[in-house]
């Protein structure tokens, strides 16, 4: 019995250790728009979804939005994400130069990360003339993401 408990503990540590992610891939949350765009957020370092900002308050990222209708890709390499409310918060929010606003929240079940994020994305970049409003409603998120 003691060996079983030790084995289970070691297994849980190894599963939690593999939970670090370096990017998430998203689609619009509104069902009819899911095939119209792919959003990719690439973090500047691997993060633990349950403790994303250990050691520094902000997290750099690259945002890529590929519009499948026009075939164009919008890229911002200066996105900065911070905890939504406090250093212990797993929800991240941020943006780039007032033109990009993003919020991503990990999907948790009983305190465990489920490999998915939900959130919102709003882009109003006047310099490149790009506008995307993927903000959610109380019934559905603006974007739905998976880790890769």
């Amino acid at each position: 019995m003691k060996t079983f408990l030790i084995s289970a503990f070691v297994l849980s540590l190894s599963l939690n250790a593999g939970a670090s992610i370096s990017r998430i891939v998203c689609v619009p949350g509104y069902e009819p728009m899911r095939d119209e765009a792919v959003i990719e957020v690439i973090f500047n370092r691997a993060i633990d979804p349950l403790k994303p900002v250990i050691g520094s308050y902000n997290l750099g990222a690259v945002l890529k939005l590929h519009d499948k209708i026009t075939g164009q890709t919008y890229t911002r390499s200066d996105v900065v994400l911070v905890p939504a409310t406090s250093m212990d918060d797993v929800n991240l929010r941020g943006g780039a130069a007032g033109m990009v606003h993003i919020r991503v929240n990990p999907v948790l079940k009983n305190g465990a990360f489920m490999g998915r994020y939900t959130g919102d994305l709003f882009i109003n970049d006047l310099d490149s003339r790009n506008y995307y409003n993927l903000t959610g409603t109380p019934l559905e998120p603006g974007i739905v993401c998976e880790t890769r």
Side-chain angles (χ1 to χ4, degrees):
M1 181 67 166
K2 188 185 275 188
T3 306
F4 174 75
L5 290 175
I6 292 171
S7 299
F9 177 72
V10 170
L11 179 62
S12 72
L13 286 177
S14 64
L15 290 175
N16 288 336
S20 68
I21 60 170
S22 57
R23 71 183 183 130
I24 57 176
V25 177
C26 313
V27 294
Y30 183 57
E31 187 70 39
M33 294 177 59
R34 293 235 168 116
D35 293 333
E36 296 179 6
V38 175
I39 303 113
E40 186 176 11
V41 179
I42 306 162
F43 302 112
N44 65 352
R45 61 181 167 82
I47 65 166
D48 178 350
L50 299 177
K51 296 176 184 156
V53 290
I54 292 176
S56 65
Y57 184 70
N58 58 23
L59 176 66
V62 174
L63 172 77
K64 295 180 181 181
L65 186 147
H66 178 68
D67 187 331
K68 291 183 177 180
I69 294 173
T70 65
Q72 296 179 336
T73 300
Y74 174 79
T75 303
R76 285 302 294 242
S77 59
D78 58 345
V79 174
V80 177
L81 298 167
V82 297
T85 58
S86 69
M87 285 296 284
D88 296 333
D89 198 344
V90 296
N91 302 312
L92 298 171
R93 64 176 173 79
M99 299 174 199
V100 175
H101 301 279
I102 187 168
R103 181 183 57 84
V104 289
N105 310 313
V107 176
L108 304 175
K109 183 175 183 180
N110 297 326
F113 178 58
M114 300 305 295
R116 297 188 322 260
Y117 280 83
T118 60
D120 297 307
L121 176 64
F122 180 76
I123 298 171
N124 188 19
D125 192 331
L126 300 176
D127 295 337
S128 65
R129 297 186 178 186
N130 283 289
Y131 178 82
Y132 300 96
N133 186 358
L134 299 173
T135 54
T137 68
L139 300 176
E140 61 189 355
I143 56 176
V144 179
C145 312
E146 291 183 352
T147 60
R148 299 277 169 100

